[in-house]
Amino acid sequence: MLFQLFTLYRRRMRLLAGSRRELVVPLVTPVLFAVIIAPALKKALGSFNPRVDYMTFVAIATVALLVPLNSMFAGISVFTDRTYGALRELLAAPVPRWLVPLGNVLATLTIAALQVIVLVVAAVLRGATLHTSVTGVLWFAGAAMLLAAAIAGVAEMLAFRLASQEEYVGLTPAIAIVPWFFAGSLFPISVLPAGLADVARVLPWTHALALMRYGLVGGSNSGLQAIWGNHPQTGLALASLAVVVGFTVALLTVAMQVFRRSALQ
Amino acid sequence: MSTETTATVIRGPGAPRGGGIRVRDLHKTYAGGVEALRGVSFDVRPGEAFGLLGPNGAGKTTIIGILTTTVRPTSGEVIVGGFNVAREALAARRASGIVFQDSVLDAPLSGRANLMLHARLWGMPRDRARRRSAELIEAMGLAQLIDRPVRSYSGGQRRRLEIARAVMGSPHVLFLDEPTVGLDPTIRYELWSMLRDLRAGQEMTMVLTTHYLDEAERLCDRIAIMHEGRIVAMDTPDRLLASLGEEVLEVEANGASGTVTKLLAEAGIPTDGAFEIGSLLTLPLRDGQGDLASRRLREAALPLRSVALRRPTLDDVYLRLTGVKLASSH
């Protein structure tokens, strides 16, 4: 089963890596935010907290924009499989069917990881300041990859359920972009109106982004206390990790169920 | 390469004797209430070439889908290569190879990558997959283009690659869903030749769906004729045609079919097998009665648009059983 999963993963990697659209397009907006908009905002507005480098604050947030965009773009190739027939070959193959979306998700994570590295390097070169360690990088990477996997699960579900690619593309901003604006990306969630702040606290994006900041800049600037209140950071990080893990596992499980039911007539 | 050598290559080393198929009371109703199959039952012997012949919408592709576990049946039992497709789906899929009606190749990847992908999904070790793909590339005449992206292949080249892909794992059962649809006659004949090579050793069971009469006659040991989700006849091509006699009389009767049949009956020609669609009357004939029938109609000088004597076709068999011409439904 493992080598069949690897075969499916390799297939998806070759198809994704061969498409410039799917490699480059998801990077454009986050890189724009990280290297142009974030520094410009910092220059124009200063920072909401003298201890927070605003450019770094926003630059890390662009990762939480990149990974859902990448996941949603990767889902377009599932439409290609459906439309041009390759899905039938996969369904007729002697592999457990749940391996098919899992192989796709693993390939999406690989591409996301490479793109995140590009984005972070671009942000650092532009002037973002990171205070991190090996453990911090692991927190950051874990949160980014969990968010990528969760949205990849959503992408798989939609790609198997929706009738057309146009509908799917139409939903991409709602899934990949809108939550980002409420997740503490450009400003702390504590400055949102009360009701919206509560919504932001339950959004997995908010928890993932807070974990990423916790990993790369640490201290009290991660946003974890804005979510959970004034408690030791490590405990808050574990709590947010549980939220993100739960969200990801639930979505991936549902995605595999949806695939099993929808793929067959 | 000789036919026997090609057959050996395509069959693969140590390939087991083809698996049989058993289908019992198969029903399929799609969402929206479309009843695609209404109680289909048939057996395919190991090593047999079995054809499902019928127009679009008859249920052929649905049957292939169920046999290959890509479509869920509403009810019924299906055994492929000794495995129940409902309870042992993985094993049934492992025993099968499929050439789908539409291409399932990954167009951006090379032909070789497509072959290796299939081999690895079917559980072949890498070294064996490489050797097997090399043999099939040679046998199918794909060597010149195997490392190019599939999107650059012609229709016939893609179809040859699809066949190579389907037999990579030396399957017990090979399913072909309309394998030559949309291809020009030269390519069709070429593919038929390749498929006959596959059958040369008679160790691979083949199930073929088609709406081409000549394809069914040339490739299949037995044919099931399908109409609106049911099998209406099932036998060897020769016996199906023999049910219509040695030749058929085709008359454009212009409303005079009653007069025609009465005239021929009076001449001692049995007319109980006659069937009429629109203004076209078709009468199966035996014992060399064609000349007698033609002469009587000429002598009677009836106002007929045309009279023709010809060999029966599977289209005539289909027409008699269903009231619809198979060839006109496309």
Side-chain angles (χ1 to χ4, degrees):
Chain A
M1 196 190 297
L2 269 181
F3 83 80
Q4 287 172 320
L5 176 61
F6 182 67
T7 301
L8 290 166
Y9 162 79
R10 246 188 111 205
R11 169 187 177 260
R12 183 59 70 196
M13 278 298 297
R14 289 176 85 159
L15 292 172
L16 286 176
S19 166
R20 226 170 294 170
R21 173 201 72 200
E22 289 182 14
L23 286 179
V24 171
V25 168
L27 261 174
V28 170
T29 302
V31 166
L32 192 70
F33 260 93
V35 304
I36 296 176
I37 296 176
L41 282 173
K42 175 184 172 179
K43 213 172 191 179
L45 307 173
S47 183
F48 55 86
N49 185 322
R51 289 174 296 138
V52 173
D53 172 42
Y54 189 64
M55 193 233 153
T56 305
F57 181 85
V58 173
I60 296 171
T62 59
V63 174
L65 180 62
L66 168 66
V67 292
L69 274 175
N70 172 67
S71 294
M72 291 300 290
F73 268 86
I76 293 174
S77 59
V78 174
F79 269 100
T80 306
D81 281 355
R82 278 176 64 187
T83 308
Y84 294 104
L87 178 62
R88 293 193 70 189
E89 158 89 335
L90 299 178
L91 291 175
V95 301
R97 295 220 162 107
W98 57 273
L99 288 186
V100 175
L102 183 60
N104 292 343
V105 169
L106 291 175
T108 301
L109 291 185
T110 305
I111 300 290
L114 296 172
Q115 291 171 329
V116 165
I117 292 170
V118 169
L119 180 58
V120 170
V121 166
V124 167
L125 289 175
R126 188 59 181 87
T129 314
L130 306 180
H131 303 283
T132 190
S133 60
V134 170
T135 314
V137 170
L138 288 174
W139 277 108
F140 165 76
M145 289 301 101
L146 282 169
L147 183 62
I151 305 307
V154 174
E156 292 282 315
M157 263 193 281
L158 293 176
F160 283 120
R161 290 289 295 173
L162 293 176
S164 72
Q165 195 169 314
E166 287 74 25
E167 282 181 74
Y168 178 91
V169 170
L171 282 175
T172 295
I175 291 163
I177 300 175
V178 169
W180 183 74
F181 284 104
F182 295 99
S185 50
L186 299 176
F187 42 80
I189 63 170
S190 52
V191 305
L192 284 168
L196 277 176
D198 294 332
V199 169
R201 279 189 190 94
V202 299
L203 277 180
W205 281 257
T206 312
H207 292 269
L209 180 49
L211 287 172
M212 288 184 222
R213 286 191 178 121
Y214 175 71
L216 289 189
V217 295
S220 57
N221 305 322
S222 62
L224 288 169
Q225 287 177 332
I227 299 170
W228 299 106
N230 223 353
H231 298 287
Q233 290 275 319
T234 307
L236 301 182
L238 288 171
S240 282
L241 182 64
V243 169
V244 178
V245 167
F247 176 65
T248 303
V249 168
L251 280 177
L252 287 178
T253 305
V254 171
M256 285 174 211
Q257 289 294 325
V258 166
F259 172 76
R260 279 180 57 215
R261 281 198 215 110
S262 309
L264 301 186
Q265 295 172 286
Chain B
M1 190 181 284
S2 70
T3 299
E4 191 177 315
T5 313
T6 304
T8 308
V9 165
I10 293 169
R11 221 171 31 250
R17 184 161 171 74
I21 295 171
R22 187 173 79 222
V23 176
R24 287 290 175 270
D25 197 30
L26 197 57
H27 289 260
K28 173 64 183 179
T29 303
Y30 287 100
V34 175
E35 206 176 351
L37 297 177
R38 304 168 193 234
V40 169
S41 299
F42 61 89
D43 292 310
V44 182
R45 292 184 299 273
E48 185 180 24
F50 186 79
L52 292 162
L53 177 69
N56 295 334
K60 311 184 300 294
T61 297
T62 298
I63 289 180
I64 293 287
I66 292 172
L67 293 177
T68 57
T69 78
T70 57
V71 173
R72 265 191 225 100
T74 305
S75 66
E77 185 189 54
V78 176
I79 309 286
V80 172
F83 303 105
N84 185 303
V85 300
R87 290 195 297 274
E88 302 167 282
L90 281 182
R93 296 203 290 265
R94 196 170 292 118
S96 307
I98 308 109
V99 180
F100 292 97
Q101 181 175 348
D102 300 316
S103 176
V104 298
L105 300 167
D106 283 320
L109 304 182
S110 69
R112 192 187 302 278
N114 274 274
L115 290 178
M116 290 300 290
L117 167 69
H118 179 96
R120 299 296 278 157
L121 287 177
W122 258 255
M124 285 179 85
R126 193 177 298 276
D127 287 344
R128 195 175 135 221
R130 283 204 186 105
R131 283 195 304 272
R132 182 85 176 117
S133 64
E135 290 167 358
L136 285 168
I137 288 165
E138 181 67 32
M140 292 294 184
L142 295 168
Q144 297 298 316
L145 40 88
I146 198 62
D147 291 306
R148 286 180 3 210
V150 166
R151 66 162 69 94
S152 67
Y153 292 18
S154 68
Q157 290 165 344
R158 286 188 194 219
R159 197 40 53 122
R160 277 189 274 146
L161 181 65
E162 300 258 14
I163 294 173
R165 181 193 57 80
V167 300
M168 272 289 283
S170 303
H172 297 214
V173 184
L174 179 65
F175 296 100
L176 301 116
D177 189 8
E178 306 269 9
T180 64
V181 72
L183 299 178
D184 67 38
T186 315
I187 308 294
R188 294 184 69 220
Y189 292 131
E190 190 183 288
L191 287 175
W192 288 345
S193 174
M194 281 180 183
L195 291 170
R196 276 196 293 270
D197 288 346
L198 277 172
R199 295 277 303 119
Q202 295 190 353
E203 288 192 11
M204 187 183 294
T205 306
M206 195 164 77
V207 176
L208 165 82
T209 73
T210 184
H211 60 265
Y212 294 126
L213 313 176
D214 49 356
E215 187 163 86
E217 285 184 58
R218 281 169 198 258
L219 296 179
C220 300
D221 299 324
R222 267 192 317 142
I223 300 169
I225 296 180
M226 292 198 66
H227 178 67
E228 293 181 352
R230 292 194 176 91
I231 292 177
V232 295
M234 185 161 54
D235 213 327
T236 66
D238 286 343
R239 283 199 214 115
L240 286 170
L241 292 169
S243 67
L244 290 178
E246 300 139 8
E247 51 193 350
V248 295
L249 180 73
E250 202 171 61
V251 179
E252 286 249 26
N254 270 345
S257 53
T259 309
V260 168
T261 51
K262 188 176 171 209
L263 189 72
L264 296 177
E266 284 167 357
I269 298 169
T271 59
D272 47 313
F275 52 97
E276 184 176 10
I277 303 296
S279 63
L280 188 68
L281 176 72
T282 307
L283 176 65
L285 296 170
R286 295 177 195 279
D287 302 323
Q289 291 176 323
D291 287 339
L292 172 62
S294 303
R295 197 168 59 245
R296 288 296 291 123
L297 289 175
R298 268 199 314 274
E299 288 165 0
L302 295 171
L304 305 173
R305 194 173 296 158
S306 70
V307 177
L309 209 56
R310 57 172 176 78
R311 290 177 62 78
T313 68
L314 287 175
D315 199 23
D316 298 317
V317 176
Y318 191 86
L319 185 62
R320 189 177 68 161
L321 289 168
T322 66
V324 177
K325 279 182 83 66
L326 178 61
S328 69
S329 51
H330 310 293

